[in-house]
Amino acid sequence: MGCCWNSAERQHLAVNIMDMIDAANDLSLWISGTIVITNSAELRGQYITYFIKTAKKSYKLKNYNAVFTIITALTSAAVYRLEASWEHVPDAAKTTFGQLYQFTADEDNYAAYRQELNLVVQQPVVPFLGIYLSDLTVTEESSPDFLPGQPHLINFHKRRMYARTIRHIQRYQQVAYNLTEVKTIHDFLKSLEPPVDEKDLYHCSVTAEPKRKS
């Protein structure tokens, strides 16, 4: 398989995969950047609350890729450290955040997420792509293409592992969402530009809320 999304030529060899990865990364950085460049702690808290509600709605829609993207942004070092901002987040939203954090946690190889995903039958769903790419990468790197000591015999067990992961992906491509496109939102997300570079994110966070003296 070659895991072309990890190669130097990934932008040409894995166009659709890279589009999804880039879109998720841009959205996560846009969320984090929007929060840290906001001057008011109260307003930052309102933004955090809004994004938690958006993650909850995405969860209900079974858009798990969006859930992971939003929670990744909110748990980034630049956002999670904003104590004064989080103080303005209602307790109910904090509870929801905690539940979604547990849902996206990587304990036991994302056991909570995998268990729920396996229960989805004949429903529209957007799974978290990153886990499948990790599974395929592990298969690629942990198993030889040919049987040890028998270089003329193909390792079909490795091929079956590939096939099982790909079938999982295809399983969730069978049922489409019945949603009405909102063009302004669609165009906004397609042309999303993070308000700050990733390398400047933490600096902006510290500027917004300087480190507290112990």
Side-chain angles (χ1 to χ4, degrees):
M1 173 167 280
C3 296
C4 54
W5 57 88
N6 291 326
S7 73
E9 300 297 319
R10 54 184 174 272
Q11 295 292 350
H12 303 291
L13 299 177
V15 177
N16 293 332
I17 291 175
M18 293 311 303
D19 281 348
M20 283 200 70
I21 293 174
D22 290 343
N25 289 341
D26 286 346
L27 178 58
S28 182
L29 182 56
W30 178 81
I31 292 170
S32 302
T34 298
I35 294 170
V36 301
I37 66 170
T38 301
N39 293 327
S40 163
E42 182 177 1
L43 187 54
R44 288 194 297 271
Q46 291 176 9
Y47 278 137
I48 292 171
T49 302
Y50 174 80
F51 290 126
I52 292 173
K53 291 179 178 179
T54 303
K56 181 179 180 180
K57 183 66 173 180
S58 298
Y59 174 81
K60 289 182 176 179
L61 287 170
K62 293 183 171 51
N63 184 348
Y64 299 136
N65 202 65
V67 175
F68 272 83
T69 298
I70 296 170
I71 297 302
T72 296
L74 296 179
T75 55
S76 66
V79 174
Y80 198 66
R81 63 168 296 278
L82 298 173
E83 295 181 22
S85 304
W86 283 90
E87 288 174 358
H88 292 281
V89 177
D91 289 342
K94 288 179 180 177
T95 298
T96 298
F97 171 76
Q99 293 168 342
L100 294 176
Y101 176 79
Q102 291 299 320
F103 174 69
T104 60
D106 60 2
E107 279 88 355
D108 297 323
N109 195 18
Y110 298 95
Y113 164 72
R114 291 179 188 269
Q115 181 177 358
E116 179 161 326
L117 186 64
N118 286 334
L119 298 176
V120 177
V121 179
Q122 292 300 312
Q123 297 179 58
V125 58
V126 182
F128 176 49
L129 181 63
I131 290 179
Y132 292 118
L133 299 183
S134 295
D135 289 346
L136 290 170
T137 299
V138 169
T139 299
E140 172 69 20
E141 296 179 350
S142 64
S143 301
D145 290 329
F146 298 91
L147 296 181
Q150 304 182 71
H152 60 292
L153 294 179
I154 295 173
N155 183 354
F156 280 102
H157 175 68
K158 180 176 183 177
R159 271 60 185 179
R160 285 192 292 270
M161 292 173 67
Y162 280 144
R164 184 168 61 247
T165 301
I166 293 172
R167 278 199 303 271
H168 273 285
I169 299 174
Q170 293 176 328
R171 170 186 174 187
Y172 303 114
Q173 295 176 325
Q174 304 306 310
V175 183
Y177 283 93
N178 183 24
L179 300 174
T180 301
E181 178 183 323
V182 180
K183 190 174 187 305
T184 52
I185 297 177
H186 176 270
D187 293 345
F188 173 77
L189 292 174
K190 288 287 288 184
S191 59
L192 199 64
E193 291 188 10
V196 60
D197 290 337
E198 186 173 9
K199 60 182 177 60
D200 298 323
L201 200 61
Y202 194 81
H203 173 74
C204 292
S205 174
V206 174
T207 300
E209 287 186 31
K211 297 179 180 179
R212 296 182 178 181
K213 297 179 180 180
S214 56

